[in-house]
Amino acid sequence: MIHKGALVLGALLGATAGVLFAPEKGSVTRNKLKKEGKVIKDQITNDFTEVKEDLSKAAASGKEKLKQDLEDFASKSSYKTEQAITFLEKQLAILKDKNKTLQKTS
């Protein structure tokens, strides 16, 4: 996989080499440099936009994953809470039965 930074660096090096070895007049060389500079600027802008979009997608994906994980946790916690309440109700019923045996009937 070629990194975008390597492509930009290659373009810069190519433009520099072109200037150094160009047998053209200064005005022609400057025009070429302007065009190359614009191409490189546009490429960097496009790369930056693409990276920004990728980061936004990753953040949104992470947010959705976190939301889903929290919902799953809440659901599992609710089931565990229900089990604990059921257990406590059974224990309370046992205590009520034991307490009734201790009460005197008048």
Side-chain angles (χ1 to χ4, degrees):
M1 177 181 198
I2 296 176
H3 294 284
K4 292 177 181 166
L7 291 174
V8 171
L9 180 61
L12 285 172
L13 290 173
T16 303
V19 169
L20 292 175
F21 296 111
E24 298 168 333
K25 293 175 27 174
S27 62
V28 173
T29 302
R30 282 191 296 277
N31 283 337
K32 284 186 176 184
L33 282 175
K34 285 179 187 177
K35 288 178 184 176
E36 286 291 323
K38 183 176 179 346
V39 168
I40 291 169
K41 177 187 160 263
D42 291 345
Q43 183 62 45
I44 290 172
T45 302
N46 289 340
D47 290 347
F48 177 75
T49 301
E50 189 176 314
V51 168
K52 188 173 121 179
E53 289 172 357
D54 289 347
L55 287 173
S56 294
K57 288 177 186 175
S61 175
K63 183 179 177 182
E64 286 300 316
K65 172 102 172 80
L66 177 62
K67 182 180 175 184
Q68 185 62 45
D69 288 348
L70 286 174
E71 288 175 0
D72 291 346
F73 176 75
S75 177
K76 288 177 185 176
S77 296
S78 177
Y79 282 112
K80 292 294 181 186
T81 301
E82 190 67 33
Q83 289 174 349
I85 291 170
T86 300
F87 172 77
L88 291 172
E89 287 173 339
K90 287 179 183 177
Q91 295 303 314
L92 186 57
I94 292 169
L95 286 174
K96 279 185 170 186
D97 288 341
K98 284 184 181 178
N99 189 47
K100 281 184 184 179
T101 61
L102 297 174
Q103 294 175 354
K104 292 182 184 178
T105 50
S106 333

